[in-house]
């Protein structure tokens, strides 16, 4: 791997780690409480993210579970808040309810983590595909 590509991968990894840690740190402030059979998985995932660990198991399904938990909690707090904040970036400057702002910000943080993780996964897949393609040529 050339130096530029290696640097790009390191930057993508760093972004995933930072976004994951920030999500885990901001989660308690928003008051999102996982429920049901996924509660332990979510809490363990947040603990690992806070410690900058567990990224090898952070796949699309687990990311979707985190996002859906935030969405449902926001919908319970205020009707349609979770669905809207999932689909759109909501401005919080005219919102005066602290919990609503925390939930919107948490959903935004989750979207940043999902975007970062997908960019990293895409880069890794592109590198793997490139290596396979080049090995067929040589």
């Amino acid at each position: 791997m050339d130096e530029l590509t290696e640097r790009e991968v390191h930057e993508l990894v760093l972004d995933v780690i930072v976004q994951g840690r920030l999500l885990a740190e901001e989660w308690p402030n928003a008051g999102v409480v996982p429920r049901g059979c996924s509660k332990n998985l979510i809490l363990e995932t947040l603990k690992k993210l806070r410690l900058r660990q567990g990224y090898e198991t952070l796949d699309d399904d687990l990311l979707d579970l985190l996002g859906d938990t935030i969405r449902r909690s926001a919908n319970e707090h205020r009707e349609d808040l979770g669905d809207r904040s999932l689909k759109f970036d909501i401005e919080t400057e005219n919102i005066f309810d602290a919990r609503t702002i925390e939930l919107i910000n948490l959903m935004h943080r989750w979207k940043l983590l999902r975007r970062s993780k997908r960019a990293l996964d895409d880069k890794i897949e592109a590198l793997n595909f490139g290596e396979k393609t080049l090995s067929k040529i040589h």
Side-chain angles (χ1 to χ4, degrees), residues 31-94:
V32 176
V33 179
R35 298 184 192 137
C37 60
S38 61
K39 178 179 179 176
N40 289 336
L41 176 61
I42 291 170
L43 293 176
E44 185 63 29
T45 299
L46 292 171
K47 179 181 175 183
K48 288 179 180 177
L49 293 176
R50 199 172 16 263
L51 297 172
R52 298 172 185 93
Q53 301 170 355
Y55 294 97
E56 56 280 342
T57 59
L58 188 63
D59 59 10
D60 284 342
D61 291 336
L62 186 50
L63 276 169
D64 289 346
L65 178 63
L66 294 172
D68 192 55
T69 302
I70 298 166
R71 183 191 62 77
R72 282 187 281 118
S73 184
N75 281 344
E76 288 172 6
H77 175 69
R78 183 171 288 168
E79 185 178 347
D80 203 36
L81 176 64
D83 295 327
R84 286 186 298 113
S85 61
L86 179 63
K87 293 178 185 176
F88 309 105
D89 289 334
I90 299 175
E91 294 295 327
T92 59
E93 62 189 29
N94 293 320

